[in-house]
Amino acid sequence: MRVFAFILCALFACNVKGYAQSSASGAGNITSRLEAFYSSHVMEKAYLHTDKPYYAAGDTLWFKAYVTIGEDHKPTPLSRVLHADLVNPDLSIHHSIRLEIANGLAWGSIILPDTLPAGNYRIRAYTQWMKNEGEAAFFDKVIPIGSVNEHHPVAKTAVVNTPVSANQPATQFFPEGGILIAGIRTKTAFKAVAANGKGIAVKGIIKDDLNNEIKRFESAHLGMGALVFIPAEGRTYKALLTYADGSKNTVKLPVVQQSGITLIVNNNLKDKLNILVAANQSFYKENQGQSFFITIKSGGIIKTYSSKLDVPQLDINLLKNQLSSGIAQITLLSAKQEPLAERLAFIQSADIINIHLQTSQPSYQPRQQVQLNIKSTNAVSQPDSGHLSIAVIDETRVPFQENDETTLLTYQLLTSELKGYIEEPNYYFIQNSADSEANLDLLMLTQGYRKFTWKSIMNAEAMPVKWKAERTLSIQGLATRLNGKPLIKGTINLVPTGQGPLLTTQTDSSGRYSFSNLIFYDTTRFVLNAINEKGKNSTKIIYQAAKNEPVQTSYLTGAETADYTMQTYLSHVRNAAIVAGDYEKIKGRLLQEIQIKAKRPEYNYRSSNLGGPGYADQVIHAKDLVNSTLLGDALQGIVRGVDFHGGNNPAGGAPYLRGFNTGPMQIVLDGAIMPAIDVSDDGRTTGFSLNALNINDIETIEILKFSNASIYGMNAGNGVIVITTKTGAEPNSRSSSAVGLLPIAVDGFYKGREFYAPQYTVSNTQLQTGKDLRTTIFWKPEITTNSNGEASLSYYNADTPGNYKIIVEGMDNNGRLGRQVIKYKVEQ
């Protein structure tokens, strides 16, 4: 046996039949190019584990995010910001949040309003880095949402762009290796798809151009099947098809190549993957002695082997335990390193976390406590510590076909690596039979796989990086002069509310500014202040909120949840609402109109005061501020009992209650507490200046003393001045602009809420007597197993008897994935 066989066996414990020679330089060149390509095309994936497969309006959608990098599924060290969107059926974004990723993990929730129209929504998740690969790299899952409100309309669904022939089934044929070659016995897979995007059963007859019957065939699973025949030289072939709905069609098979070489893969062996490189006589005579290469890519590891075409066939066996779980890509290349044939094989290896779940007893009573013990081990039964998430649902009231489920395993190992809609992805993981393995191989043959083009690799093309990986939040925008020209090298101050330092930056040559490396949570208020080179604030400042990535891809109707499944759940939601006394509200019953009397004239003004209008010792309106350009100067003498230090100084205007020298009054601008200002003896100022405000922007100024000021806490002991501007009384996260000073409210990282789980051991009358009709019985997004791979937790069942299902998913720090499901009964 030659060197090629020795190298192959040393690395993969395989055996090779036939003659082979090595060409180390060529093989090494391909491997190095592949490795260079992948090092410059680092890919991230995001997967969301949701507590339920579908919801009703008024529910809360709970989720855990697993964000990984590369094909070894390790927690990403790249991105620290994850975007999660709830997408309306019309492809607009209903709700969007940003989550802070730590060690590849994040979790959150989305409240679904009870006014939400029914329809097929989607939840998607992505990092900014994924945008370099396009929307196809995003996690995207259909989330059907129903409603028990018969008065609510059904959500408008976006039109799916389908070909003209989409009103009837369509069938494609896929020769193994990519081509039909004359004289080579070839497996040709096929897939028949109905107009709704789902597979449809089909049977047919293969005939040649002489009308000879060559082969009869029929589909095996979800419209997929395969037939084996030997194409003849000079012949063409067609398939006469009959679909399950009775319709018929004729489809041409791919053109037969008269000379060629291909890959034939047998994945039916338990421990080995058999690869056969086969050339027909014509190709063998023309290329005898020529070199060729085989690349095998599995779990991010690339191996390349070379040989000479000394015999028409080369037979290779690889041990599966040397490959990673998931899709292995096998490619045959010519001596010029051009791809000749390609084949995918799904490897079911032992590199999966084994998660063992044990409840304290096999069945329970309503409201009884469940003690759950968790233990995770690796392939050799050693403890495996990692991060898990758990959902417990009442499956009787939330029924779902397990084959249709999107799981951590189905997404990371299968659907994220294939093109198109994958029907019943979990079927290939929960079924353990020869049929399911054969059908999974049909999926590999029919759903095309392309993560790169060989042309890009051989030309050493680097991925164009338009979007950098986000690790923190940022606030950015544009500043201009009043004439519209960019403010170049202008000073921009970002003033946070409450605690936090004042940040300063300069605009660039286009007038743009950016504050980066920010970390804050929920909706946080800031004030932006722009100053030109003369220290004046006669500038226009624009805040540009981050835009949500638009949704461009429509889902096929085949992704819908069966109506009977949703109706079972909605019936329970309706009954639960009746028990809770909410049903009339849910039905949309109009409440009796309540007449609200008008406010007293002196209270009828816009106010950002925490106490609302009318709770101030004095109110100054815009019309009162005349004959002055500086606010502090204008207020001097108008405000009773307040002196303004440095009121005629452009950088001054510090307010002090008369007789109180312990410190200046607290300034609140459009709800934002500003840093206190003071003027030293030498005239220097620190903190926020009243005179930085443009008088023309002021709508009201409220003076709060003593009891009225107490609503602002301990820092209000010296009094409070509440300023409400004409544009900033109700700041929000949308883009906005103002002159000189702009209050904004920015959505920070989502701060997760805790799932409510009742504790029936405590003495609580409401808990003991109220009806518990939860369908998500328990949700915990983060469970960390210890060094022994162990964790334990407890929760209480609801009042509803039935079948309860525990779903646990997770991963360890080495990228090993795991999932386990067990069920138990709750008996009345």
Side-chain angles (χ1 to χ4, degrees):
M1 191 171 291
R2 300 189 182 179
V3 177
F4 170 63
F6 172 77
I7 295 175
L8 205 58
C9 291
L11 293 173
F12 276 108
C14 62
N15 58 70
V16 181
K17 298 177 181 178
Y19 295 95
Q21 276 188 328
S22 70
S23 177
S25 59
N29 179 263
I30 295 175
T31 302
S32 62
R33 288 191 178 191
L34 278 168
E35 290 174 346
F37 178 86
Y38 275 102
S39 66
S40 65
H41 290 69
V42 177
M43 298 184 65
E44 286 184 317
K45 291 183 185 179
Y47 164 78
L48 301 187
H49 176 196
T50 58
D51 65 307
K52 287 199 287 273
Y54 51 82
Y55 298 86
D59 285 346
T60 296
L61 186 159
W62 303 90
F63 66 89
K64 165 78 170 286
Y66 295 90
V67 188
T68 60
I69 192 167
E71 295 186 30
D72 55 4
H73 314 299
K74 290 184 178 179
T76 182
L78 197 60
S79 296
R80 295 290 300 273
V81 181
L82 180 71
H83 301 261
D85 300 333
L86 181 67
V87 181
N88 290 317
D90 66 358
L91 305 189
S92 63
I93 295 177
H94 181 273
H95 186 67
S96 181
I97 58 178
R98 292 184 290 185
L99 299 106
E100 187 176 18
I101 303 171
N103 194 31
L105 309 171
W107 50 88
S109 61
I110 297 175
I111 297 174
L112 308 175
D114 56 15
T115 56
L116 201 63
N120 276 335
Y121 292 73
R122 287 151 62 180
I123 187 169
R124 69 173 186 171
Y126 62 94
T127 64
Q128 185 166 275
W129 181 260
M130 293 179 194
K131 292 164 68 173
N132 292 304
E133 296 286 340
E135 193 178 10
F138 298 1
F139 174 82
D140 204 332
K141 175 184 175 182
V142 174
I143 297 286
I145 298 176
S147 176
V148 298
N149 187 338
E150 58 265 33
H151 299 296
H152 288 171
V154 175
K156 181 181 178 182
T157 302
V159 176
V160 180
N161 295 322
T162 54
V164 177
S165 61
N167 60 343
Q168 63 182 9
T171 301
Q172 288 181 283
F173 288 85
F174 306 90
E176 184 172 20
I179 49 177
L180 284 175
I181 301 173
I184 294 182
R185 182 180 177 85
T186 304
K187 177 190 286 187
T188 300
F190 59 87
K191 183 168 186 176
V193 180
N196 65 358
K198 289 191 173 184
I200 183 173
V202 65
K203 59 183 179 181
I205 303 171
I206 300 295
K207 289 189 174 183
D208 64 14
D209 53 335
L210 301 177
N211 207 35
N212 295 315
E213 181 178 316
I214 305 300
K215 192 82 173 181
R216 289 180 176 263
F217 63 91
E218 62 180 306
S219 57
H221 180 68
L222 300 176
M224 296 182 294
L227 56 102
V228 179
F229 74 108
I230 303 175
E233 185 175 353
R235 298 272 68 86
T236 60
Y237 299 91
K238 62 184 177 181
L240 309 179
L241 305 170
T242 302
Y243 297 101
D245 62 3
S247 60
K248 298 179 182 296
N249 196 13
T250 300
V251 175
K252 292 181 179 180
L253 268 65
V255 175
V256 178
Q257 291 194 14
Q258 305 308 310
S259 176
I261 187 170
T262 191
L263 286 169
I264 300 171
V265 175
N266 180 6
N267 196 19
N268 295 329
L269 303 174
K270 182 178 180 180
D271 300 321
K272 297 177 182 179
L273 180 70
N274 177 256
I275 303 171
L276 180 67
V277 179
N280 68 357
Q281 287 299 320
S282 175
F283 186 91
Y284 177 66
K285 289 179 181 179
E286 294 173 3
N287 297 277
Q288 186 176 5
Q290 293 292 319
S291 296
F292 65 89
F293 305 93
I294 298 174
T295 67
I296 302 171
K297 183 169 70 68
S298 175
I301 297 175
I302 303 160
K303 298 295 181 183
T304 306
Y305 311 100
S306 63
S307 181
K308 291 188 181 295
L309 192 61
D310 292 337
V311 290
Q313 292 188 351
L314 177 66
D315 193 16
I316 306 169
N317 287 319
L318 306 180
L319 291 180
K320 291 182 179 180
N321 61 12
Q322 301 297 316
L323 302 173
S324 299
S325 292
I327 294 175
Q329 182 179 4
I330 307 155
T331 308
L332 177 68
L333 298 101
S334 69
K336 296 180 180 180
Q337 300 178 1
E338 299 170 335
L340 301 173
E342 193 165 82
R343 175 68 153 89
L344 304 184
F346 191 90
I347 305 300
Q348 294 177 325
S349 191
D351 57 345
I352 297 292
I353 300 175
N354 298 307
I355 301 175
H356 309 274
L357 305 178
Q358 181 64 53
T359 56
S360 50
Q361 54 192 66
S363 62
Y364 294 87
Q365 298 295 313
R367 298 201 181 191
Q368 188 175 358
Q369 186 180 37
V370 176
Q371 182 70 38
L372 179 67
N373 293 321
I374 303 173
K375 185 174 179 62
S376 56
T377 59
N378 59 21
V380 292
S381 300
Q382 294 176 333
D384 193 343
S385 60
H387 300 270
L388 309 173
S389 50
I390 180 173
V392 183
I393 62 172
D394 179 352
E395 190 180 28
T396 300
R397 287 149 192 88
V398 190
F400 195 71
Q401 294 292 335
E402 287 187 315
N403 287 350
D404 293 330
E405 286 185 298
T406 296
T407 74
L408 180 63
L409 297 179
T410 66
Y411 181 76
Q412 292 283 63
L413 301 181
L414 184 66
T415 59
S416 63
E417 300 292 339
L418 296 175
K419 286 185 176 181
Y421 168 59
I422 308 301
E423 190 177 352
E424 298 186 6
N426 204 30
Y427 159 81
Y428 306 105
F429 290 82
I430 62 176
Q431 302 292 334
N432 186 16
S433 66
D435 285 345
S436 64
E437 291 182 6
N439 293 332
L440 179 55
D441 200 50
L442 289 175
L443 184 67
M444 296 296 101
L445 288 164
T446 56
Q447 301 276 146
Y449 176 87
R450 288 293 181 276
K451 284 293 185 184
F452 59 84
T453 62
W454 283 98
K455 181 180 178 181
S456 298
I457 294 172
M458 296 312 164
N459 292 336
E461 294 178 5
M463 179 178 69
V465 179
K466 178 181 178 182
W467 303 98
K468 296 181 180 180
E470 285 181 292
R471 299 188 65 81
T472 55
L473 303 179
S474 63
I475 293 175
Q476 54 196 7
L478 178 69
T480 67
R481 301 181 187 276
L482 295 182
N483 61 9
K485 293 184 178 180
L487 178 64
I488 301 173
K489 292 186 178 181
T491 299
I492 309 295
N493 296 316
L494 179 69
V495 184
T497 62
Q499 298 180 348
L502 182 148
L503 303 177
T504 300
T505 190
Q506 280 195 328
T507 57
D508 62 17
S509 59
S510 301
R512 303 198 64 82
Y513 66 87
S514 178
F515 295 93
S516 57
N517 299 321
L518 304 177
I519 295 178
F520 54 93
Y521 300 88
D522 293 332
T523 300
T524 302
R525 297 189 178 199
F526 299 89
V527 174
L528 287 164
N529 176 225
I531 302 173
N532 61 23
E533 69 277 5
K534 296 182 180 180
K536 295 184 178 181
N537 62 354
S538 55
T539 59
K540 182 178 181 180
I541 187 166
I542 302 169
Y543 163 62
Q544 296 174 327
K547 293 182 179 180
N548 294 322
E549 186 69 11
V551 183
Q552 300 174 351
T553 304
S554 298
Y555 258 90
L556 296 171
T557 55
E560 297 174 2
T561 295
D563 183 63
Y564 78 89
T565 299
M566 180 62 79
Q567 291 308 316
T568 299
Y569 178 60
L570 292 180
S571 176
H572 174 77
V573 172
R574 188 179 295 109
N575 292 336
I578 292 173
V579 170
D582 299 345
Y583 189 54
E584 291 303 317
K585 174 184 174 183
I586 292 176
K587 285 175 62 179
R589 178 174 61 84
L590 294 176
L591 297 175
Q592 183 178 357
E593 184 178 2
I594 299 174
Q595 297 293 331
I596 300 176
K597 295 181 180 180
K599 297 177 182 178
R600 289 180 1 202
E602 62 267 33
Y603 295 166
N604 192 19
Y605 59 87
R606 290 178 65 240
S607 170
S608 54
N609 185 356
L610 279 177
Y615 291 91
D617 294 275
Q618 185 181 358
V619 181
I620 294 95
H621 299 275
K623 61 183 177 58
D624 302 319
L625 303 173
V626 293
N627 301 324
S628 181
T629 58
L630 298 177
L631 182 58
D633 192 32
L635 292 175
Q636 188 71 47
I638 296 178
V639 180
R640 298 186 296 269
V642 177
D643 294 323
F644 294 87
H645 297 189
N648 58 358
N649 183 344
Y656 283 79
L657 279 179
R658 195 167 298 158
F660 284 75
N661 295 318
T662 55
M665 299 175 70
Q666 176 68 67
I667 299 174
V668 177
L669 178 65
D670 291 327
I673 297 175
M674 309 305 293
I677 189 172
D678 198 5
V679 181
S680 63
D681 294 337
D682 58 4
R684 290 182 300 172
T685 60
T686 57
F688 177 75
S689 169
L690 278 177
N691 288 342
L693 294 171
N694 189 324
I695 289 181
N696 295 323
D697 292 338
I698 305 299
E699 181 152 338
T700 59
I701 296 176
E702 297 167 274
I703 308 301
L704 280 60
K705 304 175 184 178
F706 311 116
S707 61
N708 282 334
S710 63
I711 194 171
Y712 285 94
M714 296 179 61
N715 293 330
N718 295 316
V720 178
I721 293 184
V722 178
I723 302 172
T724 302
T725 66
K726 295 175 181 177
T727 58
E730 297 175 359
N732 55 57
S733 60
R734 292 172 294 180
S735 300
S736 54
S737 64
V739 175
L741 187 142
L742 175 65
I744 60 173
V746 186
D747 291 332
F749 284 125
Y750 174 84
K751 199 168 184 179
R753 299 183 302 130
E754 186 174 352
F755 177 82
Y756 170 71
Q759 299 289 321
Y760 289 120
T761 56
V762 299
S763 176
N764 185 307
T765 303
Q766 184 178 0
L767 286 179
Q768 299 300 329
T769 60
K771 198 71 173 173
D772 184 352
L773 300 177
R774 288 171 295 144
T775 52
T776 297
I777 308 301
F778 186 69
W779 166 257
K780 191 173 180 63
E782 173 64 356
I783 303 170
T784 304
T785 53
N786 60 25
S787 58
N788 293 322
E790 298 174 340
S792 62
L793 53 89
S794 63
Y795 59 89
Y796 291 85
N797 294 317
D799 285 337
T800 48
N803 297 318
Y804 285 26
K805 181 163 70 172
I806 303 174
I807 307 109
V808 175
E809 297 186 329
M811 66 180 185
D812 65 15
N813 292 327
N814 294 315
R816 288 187 286 262
L817 311 174
R819 186 175 194 265
Q820 185 59 270
V821 177
I822 64 169
K823 302 178 182 182
Y824 65 90
K825 286 186 177 294
V826 174
E827 300 172 334
Q828 193 65 48

